[in-house]
C-alpha cells in the first residue's frame, strides 16, 4: 500500500514541469509521504502527467567525492539521490550552450514503474554540439544535449555526473536531467493501423532520351516507402509551432542510431518516436523532431520531421550538413550489434527514394559544402558517400561501429539495378524459336528478382516507343499490335533510376492459312471387309507458318502441319463429311470440308462378254463373285462418280486383267498373290469432279494361270 501511494504521489509531484535546486528538485524518498491527494485526483494527474520533468545538475552543486562509474572510479562527481518522479519513459541530459560539448560523463539509473526495480547504471551518450543548422532560428534557440535513452515506463531516477579521466574543464551551465513522458491520452490513433501510412507521392521521372512516348501513356507516380505517418505514431503537433523549412534537393542520406536501448518492444516504437519528438522540442528547443525518418529494429518506418516525405525537408540531424540531405535514425544502439536484414532494406529503400527523386544514384560520392561542424569548418567541402554515417561529418560514434560497417552493403542494396528480369510467358501468342506469333492482342507476363519495395515501375515499349507503364507491383500488360514484326521490351525502373530490359520479338499475323488444293477424297487399294478405304488429299500454306493441322470430322485426328494426305475408310452407303482445320503460329485458323458417299456395284450388274461362272460364298462381297479363265472375257460398269476401285479375290494362281476407262487403256493388273486375299481393292482411278464414267476389265488368259475372280466395283459419288 505504501509503495502504491508513493507512486501515485510521485505522479502528483511530477506535474511540475521545471524545478531547481543544488542536488535535486523532486521530493526525495522520505519527503514523498508528506504529500497527500485524494486517490482519484492522483490517478487523473498520473494519466495526464507532464511531457517534460527536469532535475538540475547545476555546477554549484557540491561534489560527493569518489563515485564508481562504468568508466572506472572518478573524482569531482556530483550526484542526485534516488528520486520519485512522475511517470516518464525517456531520459536525457541538456545544458544551455548548444555549441559546447558536455565534457563530463552523465550516468543514470531508473526505477521501473511496473515492479519498482532499479535498473543498472547507464551512461547518456553525447555527440557534442547541437546538430541544428547554424544560422537558423532553431539553432539560436537550441540547447546542448546528450542522446536520449529509452528506459520504458518509470517513476524514479538517480543521476551522477563526473569530469572523469580525460574530461577537463567545468560542467556546462544549465546542466540538467530531462524526463520525457510520451503518453498522449487524447490521441486514440493506433500506430499499428495501416490507415495512417503515407500513400505514394506523384513524382515521375522523365522518359530516357532517345525513346518516343505514346501520347496516352501516363507514368505511375513514384512510390514512396510504406511509412507510419505522424498521425499514425501520434505526433504532438501542438508543440510544433514553426513552419517546415526546405532544401533545394537531397544529395546525401545520413544514417544515425538513437544510441538508446535495443531491448525495447517493437509495439513500443511509436511511443519511443513520440518521446524523441518531445525531447527534441521540449529539451533541445528545436522546432520539431530532428530526423526525417526513423526505423525500429523490426523494420517499421516512421515519418519524422513535418513537411512531407516527398519534399527535401530541412532537418536537425547532422551538424553542418542538414542542407541538401535527409536522415534516417535506427532506434537503438548499434555500436556492437548489427541491424537486421529487413532494417538494411528499409534504409536502402529510403536512400534510393530520396536521392533518386532528384536524378542521382545512391552510390558513389558527392561534394557537400559544410555550414560548420566539428570536423569540417564552415565553407569547406566534404567528399561524402551518398549514403553516409553521421560520423563522416562529425566527431561522434554514431551510427555505431557495427551499423557503420554495414553501410557498404546498404549502398549496394540501394544502388543495385533491377535483377532477374525475364519474360515468363506471353498469353495470346505462341513462341517458336525466338519469336512470339500472335494475331495482334497479347499479354506478356514478367518477373523480377529485386524486391518490389526497391522498384519504381515497369515500362512496356514497342519498337522503342513507350506504349504502357505499370506500377511496381504489376507483372503483366495487355497489348494490341498492328500486323508485322515488332520488338517488345519490358523495362524495369528501380527507385534509384537504374533500369533493366528484357526483349521479345513478336510477329503479328492476321492472315488465315490458305488451302491451295483440296481437300479431295479418293479411293485407295486395300481391304473392303465392311469398309471402303479412302484417301484425303490437300495442300495448305501460310505466310507465317502453320502451327497445327487436324482432321475434325468424321473423327478428330491430329495431323502433322506438313502432312498433305490422310488414309482412312468410309462405310458403304454412308453420307460422310471430312473436315480439316489448319491453324497458323499466330492462331489464325481456316476450316474446309468435303462430303462423299461410297457405293458398291456388284459384278452381277456389270455388262458381261465371254465366259463367266458364278461363285457363291461368304468370302465374297454380297456372298457371290464371278470367275473366268477365257481370254478376252470382259465386265463393264457404268456409273456416276469421281473415284473408282476394282474389287477382286487374289490367289497364288490368279492371272492378269486389262483395264480400260471410258474406252481408253488404263493399265494391266496382276491379281496373283502369295496368299489368298478376298474382298480386295486392287486398282483405283480418280477424277477432279463427279461425272459419268465406264470401267471395263478384260481377262488376259495368262499362261499357266488364266483364271481371275472379280467381286464388283466400288466408287465414290
Amino acid at each position: 500500500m505504501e509503495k502504491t501511494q508513493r507512486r501515485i504521489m510521485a505522479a502528483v509531484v511530477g506535474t511540475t514541469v521545471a524545478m531547481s535546486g543544488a542536488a535535486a528538485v523532486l521530493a526525495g524518498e522520505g519527503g514523498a509521504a508528506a504529500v497527500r491527494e485524494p486517490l482519484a485526483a492522483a490517478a487523473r494527474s498520473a494519466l495526464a502527467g507532464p511531457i517534460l520533468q527536469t532535475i538540475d545538475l547545476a555546477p554549484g552543486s557540491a561534489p560527493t567525492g569518489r563515485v564508481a562509474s562504468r568508466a572506472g572510479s572518478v573524482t569531482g562527481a556530483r550526484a542526485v539521490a534516488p528520486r520519485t518522479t512522475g511517470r516518464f519513459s525517456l531520459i536525457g541530459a541538456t545544458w544551455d550552450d548548444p555549441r559546447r560539448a558536455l565534457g563530463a560523463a552523465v550516468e543514470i539509473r531508473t526505477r521501473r514503474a511496473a515492479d519498482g526495480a532499479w535498473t543498472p547504471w547507464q551512461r547518456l551518450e553525447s555527440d557534442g554540439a547541437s546538430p541544428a543548422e547554424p544560422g537558423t532560428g532553431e539553432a539560436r534557440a537550441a540547447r546542448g544535449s546528450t542522446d536520449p535513452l529509452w528506459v520504458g515506463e518509470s517513476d524514479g531516477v538517480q543521476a551522477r555526473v563526473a569530469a572523469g579521466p580525460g574530461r577537463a574543464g567545468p560542467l556546462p551551465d544549465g546542466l540538467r536531467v530531462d524526463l520525457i513522458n510520451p503518453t498522449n491520452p487524447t490521441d486514440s490513433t493506433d500506430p499499428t493501423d495501416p490507415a495512417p501510412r503515407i500513400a505514394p507521392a506523384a513524382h515521375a521521372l522523365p522518359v530516357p532520351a532517345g525513346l518516343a512516348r505514346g501520347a496516352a501513356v501516363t507514368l505511375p507516380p513514384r512510390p514512396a516507402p510504406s511509412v507510419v505517418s505522424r498521425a499514425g505514431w501520434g505526433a504532438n503537433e501542438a508543440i510544433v509551432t514553426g513552419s517546415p523549412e526546405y532544401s533545394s534537393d537531397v544529395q546525401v542520406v545520413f544514417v544515425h542510431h538513437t544510441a538508446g536501448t535495443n531491448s525495447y518492444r517493437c509495439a513500443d516504437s511509436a511511443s519511443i518516436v513520440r518521446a524523441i519528438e518531445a525531447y527534441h522540442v521540449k529539451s533541445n528547443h528545436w522546432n520539431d523532431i530532428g530526423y526525417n525518418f526513423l526505423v525500429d529494429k523490426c523494420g517499421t518506418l516512421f515519418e519524422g520531421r513535418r513537411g512531407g516525405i516527398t519534399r527535401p525537408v530541412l532537418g536537425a540531424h547532422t551538424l553542418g550538413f542538414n542542407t541538401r540531405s535527409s536522415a534516417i535514425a535506427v532506434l537503438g544502439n548499434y555500436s556492437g550489434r548489427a541491424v537486421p536484414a529487413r532494417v538494411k532494406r528499409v534504409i536502402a529503400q529510403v536512400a534510393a527514394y530520396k536521392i533518386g527523386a532528384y536524378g542521382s544514384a545512391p552510390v558513389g560520392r558527392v561534394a557537400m559544402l559544410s555550414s560548420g561542424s566539428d570536423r569540417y569548418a564552415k565553407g569547406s567541402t566534404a567528399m561524402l558517400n551518398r549514403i553516409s554515417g553521421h560520423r563522416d561529418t562529425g566527431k561522434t560514434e554514431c551510427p555505431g561501429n557495427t551499423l557503420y560497417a554495414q553501410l557498404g552493403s546498404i549502398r549496394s542494396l540501394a544502388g543495385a539495378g533491377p535483377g532477374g528480369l525475364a519474360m515468363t510467358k506471353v498469353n495470346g501468342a505462341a513462341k517458336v524459336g525466338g519469336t512470339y506469333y500472335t494475331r495482334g492482342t497479347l499479354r506478356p507476363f514478367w518477373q523480377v528478382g529485386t524486391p518490389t519495395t526497391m522498384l519504381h515501375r515497369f515500362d512496356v515499349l514497342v519498337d522503342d516507343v513507350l506504349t504502357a507503364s505499370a506500377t511496381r507491383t504489376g507483372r503483366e500488360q495487355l497489348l494490341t499490335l498492328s500486323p508485322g514484326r515488332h520488338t517488345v521490351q519490358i523495362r524495369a525502373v528501380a527507385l534509384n533510376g537504374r533500369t533493366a530490359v528484357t526483349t521479345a520479338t513478336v510477329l503479328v499475323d492476321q492472315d488465315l492459312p490458305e488451302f491451295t488444293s483440296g481437300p479431295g477424297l479418293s479411293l485407295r487399294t486395300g481391304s473392303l471387309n465392311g469398309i471402303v478405304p479412302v484417301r484425303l488429299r490437300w495442300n495448305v500454306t501460310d505466310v507465317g507458318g502453320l502451327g497445327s493441322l487436324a482432321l475434325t470430322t468424321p473423327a478428330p485426328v491430329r495431323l502433322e502441319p506438313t502432312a498433305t494426305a490422310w488414309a482412312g475408310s468410309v462405310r458403304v452407303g454412308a453420307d460422310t463429311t471430312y473436315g480439316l482445320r489448319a491453324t497458323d503460329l499466330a492462331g489464325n485458323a481456316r476450316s474446309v470440308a468435303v462430303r462423299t458417299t461410297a457405293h458398291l456395284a456388284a459384278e452381277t450388274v456389270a455388262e458381261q462378254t465371254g465366259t463367266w461362272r458364278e461363285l457363291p460364298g461368304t468370302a465374297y462381297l454380297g456372298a457371290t463373285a464371278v470367275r473366268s479363265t477365257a481370254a478376252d472375257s470382259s465386265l463393264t460398269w457404268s456409273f456416276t462418280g469421281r473415284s473408282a476401285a476394282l474389287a477382286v479375290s487374289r490367289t497364288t494362281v490368279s492371272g492378269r486383267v486389262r483395264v480400260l476407262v471410258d474406252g481408253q487403256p488404263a493399265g494391266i493388273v496382276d491379281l496373283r498373290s502369295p496368299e489368298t486375299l478376298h474382298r480386295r481393292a486392287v486398282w483405283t482411278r480418280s477424277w477432279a469432279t463427279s461425272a459419268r464414267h465406264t470401267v471395263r476389265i478384260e481377262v488376259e488368259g495368262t499362261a499357266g494361270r488364266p483364271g481371275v475372280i472379280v467381286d464388283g466395283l466400288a466408287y465414290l459419288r
Side-chain angles (χ1 to χ4, degrees):
M1 180 64 179
E2 181 181 350
K3 182 181 291 185
T4 301
Q5 289 179 339
R6 183 179 65 222
R7 290 177 184 167
I8 295 174
M9 297 313 299
V12 177
V13 174
T15 58
T16 303
V17 174
M19 294 159 274
S20 63
V25 297
L26 298 182
E29 291 290 345
V35 183
R36 301 295 184 195
E37 186 174 356
L39 181 60
R44 286 195 300 271
S45 263
L47 182 63
I51 295 175
L52 170 66
Q53 304 167 76
T54 65
I55 301 174
D56 286 345
L57 294 172
S61 303
T64 60
R66 299 180 64 84
V67 176
S69 168
R70 281 194 316 181
S73 180
V74 297
T75 59
R78 291 180 174 83
V80 172
R83 293 289 187 263
T84 294
T85 69
R87 295 294 178 97
F88 68 95
S89 296
L90 182 138
I91 187 170
T94 66
W95 55 92
D96 292 343
D97 188 352
R99 296 166 298 180
R100 179 175 172 179
L102 175 58
V106 176
E107 293 187 341
I108 56 91
R109 66 181 186 133
T110 57
R111 187 176 63 203
R112 293 195 297 263
D115 58 10
W118 286 88
T119 66
W121 286 98
Q122 300 180 77
R123 177 172 293 177
L124 299 177
E125 302 292 339
S126 176
D127 286 336
S130 166
E133 188 63 19
T136 63
E138 190 170 45
R140 289 188 291 271
R143 289 174 57 81
S145 66
T146 66
D147 290 326
L149 177 67
W150 177 261
V151 294
E153 191 168 7
S154 305
D155 62 4
V157 65
Q158 184 178 6
R160 63 192 184 192
V161 56
R167 298 177 183 267
L171 297 177
D173 292 337
L175 180 63
R176 73 191 192 198
V177 173
D178 286 19
L179 312 177
I180 297 294
N181 176 11
T183 303
N184 187 354
T186 63
D187 182 5
S188 60
T189 304
D190 180 359
T192 64
D193 187 344
R197 291 181 179 267
I198 293 177
H203 183 91
L205 294 177
V207 178
L211 294 175
R213 177 174 173 176
V217 177
T218 300
L219 296 181
R222 193 162 178 269
S226 179
V227 58
V228 178
S229 68
R230 290 173 63 88
W233 55 262
N236 188 345
E237 304 295 1
I239 65 175
V240 181
T241 58
S243 299
E245 297 183 69
Y246 298 94
S247 296
S248 58
D249 56 10
V250 173
Q251 292 296 319
V252 175
V253 167
F254 288 105
V255 179
H256 297 249
H257 71 168
T258 59
T261 179
N262 295 82
S263 60
Y264 62 88
R265 299 180 307 150
C266 288
D268 292 330
S269 296
S271 295
I272 297 174
V273 176
R274 284 199 304 273
I276 293 174
E277 177 203 24
Y279 185 75
H280 285 180
V281 175
K282 290 293 187 178
S283 297
N284 293 2
H285 292 183
W286 300 346
N287 181 55
D288 194 355
I289 193 169
Y291 308 115
N292 300 99
F293 298 91
L294 302 97
V295 58
D296 68 14
K297 63 184 180 182
C298 293
T300 301
L301 183 66
F302 296 87
E303 178 187 10
R305 177 161 288 212
R306 188 169 65 182
I309 68 169
T310 66
R311 303 181 67 184
V313 178
L314 180 67
H317 46 77
T318 310
L319 180 62
F321 295 90
N322 291 305
T323 301
R324 306 185 72 191
S325 70
S326 188
I328 180 170
V330 187
L331 301 184
N333 190 317
Y334 297 93
S335 294
R337 177 182 297 187
V339 298
R342 57 185 175 271
V343 175
K344 289 173 58 178
R345 288 194 296 268
V346 170
I347 297 172
Q349 182 190 16
V350 169
Y353 174 72
K354 294 301 293 182
I355 298 171
Y358 300 95
S360 299
V363 291
R365 296 168 68 82
V366 62
M368 296 288 286
L369 188 67
S370 174
S371 59
S373 77
D374 55 6
R375 184 176 289 250
Y376 291 95
K378 182 177 180 180
S380 63
T381 299
M383 289 299 299
L384 300 174
N385 288 307
R386 289 193 181 271
I387 301 176
S388 285
H390 184 188
R391 67 174 62 178
D392 291 325
T393 61
K395 296 178 180 179
T396 172
E397 294 182 1
C398 183
N401 290 338
T402 308
L403 175 52
Y404 188 78
Q406 292 181 282
L407 294 185
S409 58
I410 291 173
R411 294 183 194 108
S412 297
L413 287 172
L421 179 65
M423 214 173 297
T424 55
K425 66 176 180 177
V426 180
N427 284 357
K431 188 177 184 181
V432 179
T435 302
Y436 288 94
Y437 292 83
T438 177
R439 284 178 286 178
T441 299
L442 66 159
R443 187 186 297 273
F445 290 77
W446 60 87
Q447 66 181 13
V448 66
T450 300
T452 300
T453 55
M454 297 302 296
L455 296 173
H456 174 187
R457 68 178 190 273
F458 293 96
D459 294 335
V460 182
L461 302 99
V462 178
D463 301 328
D464 289 335
V465 175
L466 182 62
T467 303
S469 195
T471 66
R472 64 181 178 180
T473 59
R475 296 296 185 270
E476 62 179 276
Q477 181 64 49
L478 182 66
L479 296 175
T480 300
L481 307 182
S482 60
R485 187 174 293 272
H486 301 280
T487 298
V488 174
Q489 294 176 306
I490 307 299
R491 182 177 64 203
V493 183
L495 271 180
N496 59 24
R498 293 188 62 183
T499 62
V501 175
T502 183
T503 303
T505 299
V506 177
L507 180 64
V508 178
D509 176 10
Q510 296 179 347
D511 295 325
L512 275 61
E514 184 70 27
F515 282 88
T516 57
S517 66
L521 201 66
S522 63
L523 293 172
R524 61 183 178 89
T525 60
S527 173
L528 291 168
N529 190 17
I531 57 171
V532 178
V534 296
R535 177 172 281 107
L536 191 66
R537 297 182 185 274
W538 65 88
N539 279 295
V540 60
T541 62
D542 187 85
V543 293
L546 284 180
S548 64
L549 183 66
L551 183 73
T552 56
T553 58
V557 178
R558 183 176 180 178
L559 305 171
E560 290 296 325
T562 56
T564 58
W566 174 79
S569 61
V570 62
R571 289 184 294 109
V572 176
D575 187 7
T576 306
T577 298
Y578 288 84
L580 284 171
R581 181 179 178 85
T583 305
D584 65 18
L585 295 173
N588 302 295
R590 187 188 294 273
S591 296
V592 293
V594 60
R595 294 180 61 187
T596 191
T597 305
H599 296 271
L600 188 62
E603 69 286 352
T604 56
V605 301
E607 180 183 342
Q608 297 183 4
T609 65
T611 303
W612 293 92
R613 182 169 63 88
E614 183 175 334
L615 298 175
T618 57
Y620 306 117
L621 295 172
T624 61
V626 293
R627 182 176 186 272
S628 177
T629 58
D632 297 328
S633 295
S634 68
L635 295 173
T636 303
W637 291 270
S638 296
F639 61 94
T640 298
R642 55 187 174 189
S643 185
L646 179 63
V648 300
S649 286
R650 305 182 67 184
T651 69
T652 57
V653 294
S654 294
R656 302 194 305 180
V657 296
R658 296 183 294 270
V659 182
L660 296 90
V661 177
D662 296 332
Q664 299 298 317
I668 297 175
V669 181
D670 193 339
L671 305 185
R672 185 178 181 178
S673 170
E675 58 179 327
T676 299
L677 299 172
H678 299 292
R679 303 186 182 191
R680 309 299 293 183
V682 295
W683 169 91
T684 64
R685 173 62 62 88
S686 298
W687 299 270
T689 59
S690 182
R692 190 69 179 172
H693 297 284
T694 61
V695 172
R696 177 185 174 90
I697 64 167
E698 297 175 345
V699 179
E700 182 186 61
T702 310
R705 48 185 181 96
V708 297
I709 301 173
V710 181
D711 211 1
L713 183 79
Y715 65 92
L716 298 179
R717 180 172 294 173

